[in-house]
Amino acid sequence: MAKVDCDKESAIAAQYHISKYPTIKMFRNGVPVKKEYRGQRSVEAIHEFVKEQLKDVIKEHTTLEEIENLDENKRNIIGYFEKKDSEEFITFTKAASVLRETCDFHAVIGEAAAKERVNGDNVLYRPKKTHHQDNMYTGPLSTYEIFHQWAEDKCIPLIREITFENAEELTEEGLPFIILFHHPDDTSTVEAYNRVVAKDVLSERHSVNFLTADGAKFSHPLHHLGKTQNDLPLLAIDSFRHMYVWSQNAKTDLEKPGLIKQFIADLHSNKLHREFHHGPESTEAPAPSVPSSDEQPSQPDLGQQQPDGSHVQPQEHQQQPKEVRGTDPPESTFKKLAPSRNRYTLLRDEL
């Protein structure tokens, strides 16, 4: 275990988007786990949590028949190995440790796995609600990075659809949502969203949740943003405090290089919130006006002289009051779908 003084180590705090204290994050094999620890801050509670994390997450089976009866409501990764001390099984174990919250890992070892090991150790992925539609891993089992990337892509789709059934689960992960609201029959925009996320912002998958939402079903969040189904498709961020609408056209601008990456960066830097209140931030100072050599500097228009010798400026020169935005961005609507306040969640003040 380690502790970080985020006031002194501001770069580390920014890297992992620490915005409240205390925050307890867990890393497995150098990879931050999406779900933060949200239990009690007592020695006993943290000790029990650590013990739970150290348990073996691979479920061993002694017959192939047991593999036929796995829970179809889970994403399952199944490995067939000659022995437990092999490099291949160690790779499998490391990946299972990192992805334990998103997939169930199963193993058949030794003679019981012989039928499935005709060409050596073998790993399959079984999607939810399927039986004989397993996907085989074809890469090297001895290389952890390659196998982990394959398993992560299977266990955690890069872009997920948010529904009323899974909203609580997604919210509990504690990551801001970047949501593409779309018409149910608009597949082309969804495909473009998948392409640009995979190409330009893959590195952000541990800091935000990339989601799609049926704009017909989630009409309330649209209304909350001052939008209707006629405005679809549109992209928005829900930070669990406020919602921000992407200023670009989601139909035509999704794949323009750098735009979505900047949208996410502006969330992390709080620029979205600042600009909502104060308008777009200036990137450069205006160039001063320099009169040419044949021009005389103009005299200031002092306006009409008053009896006491003072002057009244013309109306066009009088300082106008700055526009003040008296409201916050729209509040988060998806935080209302989070777990109950009767248990410890991201909604509860940790200070």
Side-chain angles (χ1 to χ4, degrees), residues 64 69 82 116 134 189 216 257 264 278 280 295 311 320:
L64 296 181
N69 298 309
E82 180 183 10
E116 296 290 340
D134 298 347
T189 305
I264 297 171
H278 306 296
E295 287 181 335
H311 293 77
Q320 300 297 316

Side-chain angles (χ1 to χ4, degrees), residues 25 157 243 277 305 343:
K25 283 186 174 289
M243 295 188 73
H277 287 287
Q305 186 172 7
R343 57 181 176 171

Side-chain angles (χ1 to χ4, degrees), residues 20 34-36 38 160-177 179 208-209 211 218 238-241 332-341 343-348:
K20 60 185 182 299
K34 281 193 173 186
K35 291 184 179 180
E36 296 177 2
R38 303 190 182 281
R160 293 174 282 181
E161 180 183 8
I162 186 169
T163 65
F164 291 110
E165 290 73 27
N166 69 2
E168 177 177 325
E169 175 186 345
L170 293 173
T171 304
E172 196 173 20
E173 291 180 6
L175 298 177
F177 293 168
I179 312 170
V208 296
N209 266 328
L211 306 172
F218 283 94
D238 190 318
S239 69
F240 296 132
R241 292 185 60 196
S332 166
T333 57
F334 287 95
K335 71 177 181 180
K336 298 173 184 177
L337 300 176
S340 167
R341 287 182 179 270
R343 57 181 176 171
Y344 202 84
T345 75
L346 61 99
L347 299 179
R348 183 164 178 171

Side-chain angles (χ1 to χ4, degrees), residues 11 51 56 82 95 119 140 153 163 192 224 255 276-277:
K51 281 177 58 180
D56 189 357
E82 180 183 10
N119 297 312
D153 290 343
T163 65
H224 198 62
E255 296 190 85
F276 182 90
H277 287 287

Side-chain angles (χ1 to χ4, degrees), residues 84-98:
K84 295 181 70 171
D85 60 354
S86 66
E87 189 175 0
E88 290 78 8
F89 186 78
I90 293 172
T91 296
F92 187 75
T93 301
K94 288 175 64 178
S97 174
V98 172

Side-chain angles (χ1 to χ4, degrees), residues 58-72 76-80 104-109 112-113 116 126 130-132 134:
I58 297 177
K59 301 172 183 178
E60 291 190 32
H61 301 269
T62 57
T63 68
L64 296 181
E65 287 74 18
E66 293 176 14
I67 298 298
E68 294 297 311
N69 298 309
L70 299 181
D71 187 347
E72 293 185 357
N76 295 294
I77 291 187
I78 308 156
Y80 301 94
D104 280 0
F105 283 76
H106 307 266
V108 184
I109 301 168
E116 296 290 340
R126 182 172 298 173
T130 65
H131 191 57
H132 292 289
D134 298 347

Side-chain angles (χ1 to χ4, degrees), residues 235-291:
L235 194 68
I237 284 178
D238 190 318
S239 69
F240 296 132
R241 292 185 60 196
H242 302 294
M243 295 188 73
Y244 305 95
V245 178
W246 194 41
S247 60
Q248 309 296 325
N249 187 322
K251 189 69 175 177
T252 60
D253 298 339
L254 270 179
E255 296 190 85
K256 290 184 178 179
L259 292 184
I260 292 184
K261 189 176 185 69
Q262 187 60 54
F263 189 38
I264 297 171
D266 290 346
L267 168 72
H268 294 324
S269 68
N270 286 325
K271 183 179 179 181
L272 292 178
H273 194 86
R274 293 195 304 271
E275 289 195 339
F276 182 90
H277 287 287
H278 306 296
E281 296 180 356
S282 176
T283 56
E284 57 183 28
S289 175
V290 179

